[in-house]
């Protein structure tokens, strides 16, 4: 069964889409066609969108799901008069909060994502710069300022996780690749010397060798780097280091970057400098 879902906002649509995806993910037996419509901030845009929604309702033979974070009550009314099943985030949550807090909301468009005087904006920028400057072991002299240092074999998800931690939580994350250069003479992987002073900050990532081989094949097809034997060996050696030195780690194979990050934060006790966008 396929249904269409619209995430509608008079701003970026980030809040509507995030909440909508979280809600719809609970219905595993449904195939959801998801459409995000940001910046619906005029009556004209609202009327045009209603025509689209009504057309989808006719095509699907079912009412589209509408999840919106529209602030303007006139625009919200136009959307609610469409042939969709509407979940109005503001009327659902803000109105009861207004009653409880005995005050009115400012109903300001883009309030969640505005820069304004929010110091979190500068924290976000600085954390992203830190992640980029300390990506893939390029620099190591700032590790004393890192909140966490991700380690793992090449292409296991270190860079996207570092950037996500920086962008969403202001966490200063560096990452360092475990490579054949870190092998002992007997072929055993050892912890790189540059990481030894920061062992308490280390968090390991691992991955299923078959998935790793597939990812590497897209980068360097039919190479030793992407061969199954090489991937199995590297993953096994990395996990051996984690277990030997009691470094916490997670298998990234079946987890999204959001799940990897939140699990890491919980396990490492990392402090979020701000809430996610």
């Amino acid at each position: 069964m396929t249904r269409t879902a619209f995430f509608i906002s008079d701003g970026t649509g980030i809040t509507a889409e995030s909440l909508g995806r979280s809600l719809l993910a609970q219905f595993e037996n449904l195939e959801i066609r998801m459409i995000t419509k940001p910046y619906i901030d005029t009556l004209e845009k609202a009327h045009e969108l209603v025509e689209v929604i009504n057309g989808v309702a006719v095509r699907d033979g079912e009412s589209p799901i509408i999840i919106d974070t529209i602030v303007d009550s006139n625009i919200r009314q136009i959307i609610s008069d469409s042939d969709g099943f509407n979940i109005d985030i503001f009327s659902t949550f803000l109105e009861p909060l207004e009653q409880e807090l005995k005050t009115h909301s400012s109903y300001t468009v883009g309030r969640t994502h505005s820069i304004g005087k929010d110091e979190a904006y500068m924290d976000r920028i600085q954390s992203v710069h830190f992640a980029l400057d300390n990506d893939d072991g390029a620099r190591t002299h700032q590790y004393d300022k890192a909140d966490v240092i991700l380690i793992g074999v090449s292409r296991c998800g270190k860079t996207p996780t570092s950037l996500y931690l920086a962008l969403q939580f202001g966490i200063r994350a560096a990452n360092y690749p475990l490579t054949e250069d870190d092998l002992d003479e007997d072929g055993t992987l050892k912890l790189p010397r540059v990481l030894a002073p920061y062992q308490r900050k280390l968090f390991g990532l691992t991955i299923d060798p078959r998935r790793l081989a597939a990812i590497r094949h897209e980068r360097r097809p039919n190479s030793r780097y992407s061969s199954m034997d090489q991937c199995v060996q590297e993953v096994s050696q990395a996990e051996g280091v984690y277990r030997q030195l009691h470094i916490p780690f997670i298998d990234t194979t079946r987890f999204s970057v959001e799940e990897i990050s939140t699990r890491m934060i919980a396990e490492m006790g990392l402090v979020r400098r701000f809430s996610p966008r």
Side-chain angles (χ1 to χ4, degrees):
M1 185 176 181
T2 301
R3 295 288 291 270
T4 301
F6 286 87
F7 308 132
I8 305 172
S9 173
D10 41 20
T12 63
I14 292 173
T15 301
E17 182 174 351
S18 297
L19 181 57
R21 286 181 178 274
S22 296
L23 291 172
L24 294 173
Q26 307 306 313
F27 301 92
E28 298 179 358
N29 295 328
L30 289 179
E31 180 181 343
I32 309 292
R33 183 186 302 110
M34 302 182 187
I35 301 172
T36 301
K37 292 291 185 180
Y39 302 113
I40 305 300
D41 49 11
T42 67
L43 300 181
E44 181 181 2
K45 289 180 182 179
H47 283 299
E48 290 175 354
L49 180 56
V50 165
E51 291 184 11
V52 173
I53 293 171
N54 291 347
V56 169
V58 172
R59 182 197 68 193
D60 291 353
E62 297 281 357
S63 297
I65 308 298
I66 298 173
I67 297 176
D68 81 75
T69 54
I70 300 291
V71 170
D72 188 295
S73 59
N74 293 319
I75 296 177
R76 293 210 319 266
Q77 184 60 53
I78 293 172
I79 299 296
S80 67
D81 288 339
S82 71
D83 294 333
F85 174 78
N86 187 235
I87 300 174
D88 184 341
I89 303 302
F90 279 98
S91 64
T92 301
F93 296 109
L94 275 186
E95 290 176 7
L97 276 173
E98 287 177 333
Q99 295 176 16
E100 175 63 25
L101 298 175
K102 298 179 177 61
T103 186
H104 290 290
S105 162
S106 63
Y107 285 85
T108 304
V109 177
R111 184 75 175 181
T112 305
H113 310 290
S114 62
I115 296 175
K117 298 180 180 179
D118 191 358
E119 294 180 1
Y121 176 77
M122 291 309 300
D123 279 334
R124 177 176 284 118
I125 296 301
Q126 291 168 4
S127 298
V128 170
H129 284 168
F130 184 90
L132 293 172
D133 287 342
N134 294 275
D135 181 48
D136 211 28
R139 299 181 183 178
T140 59
H141 65 277
Q142 294 181 317
Y143 282 3
D144 59 319
K145 298 180 179 64
D147 298 316
V148 63
I149 303 171
L150 308 183
I151 60 174
V153 301
S154 171
R155 313 304 291 179
C156 69
K158 300 185 298 301
T159 296
T161 303
S162 297
L163 288 171
Y164 185 85
L165 288 167
L167 185 62
Q168 295 295 328
F169 305 109
I171 291 173
R172 287 166 173 73
N175 73 79
Y176 189 97
L178 300 178
T179 69
E180 290 184 326
D181 293 337
D182 303 311
L183 295 176
D184 276 333
E185 293 181 358
D186 62 358
T188 302
L189 186 68
K190 65 180 185 301
L191 188 70
R193 184 178 302 174
V194 70
L195 298 178
Y198 309 105
Q199 189 169 328
R200 64 181 180 82
K201 296 184 178 184
L202 301 182
F203 192 94
L205 300 184
T206 188
I207 188 172
D208 185 286
R210 290 167 295 185
R211 175 60 180 156
L212 180 61
I215 294 172
R216 288 183 173 185
H217 182 76
E218 294 179 1
R219 187 179 179 88
R220 299 182 196 169
N222 303 317
S223 64
R224 177 172 175 269
Y225 170 77
S226 62
S227 70
M228 181 61 71
D229 288 344
Q230 182 69 16
C231 292
V232 168
Q233 179 181 343
E234 289 186 29
V235 169
S236 176
Q237 290 176 331
E239 292 183 0
V241 170
Y242 303 155
R243 294 188 176 95
Q244 179 184 357
L245 300 178
H246 305 290
I247 296 171
F249 68 96
I250 188 172
D251 187 333
T252 65
T253 308
R254 295 176 181 82
F255 289 129
S256 66
V257 67
E258 294 89 348
E259 291 173 306
I260 295 167
S261 299
T262 52
R263 287 170 181 267
M264 182 187 306
I265 289 170
E267 189 157 350
M268 296 287 285
L270 299 175
V271 177
R272 308 181 188 200
R273 288 184 173 84
F274 48 78
S275 298
R277 296 177 65 182

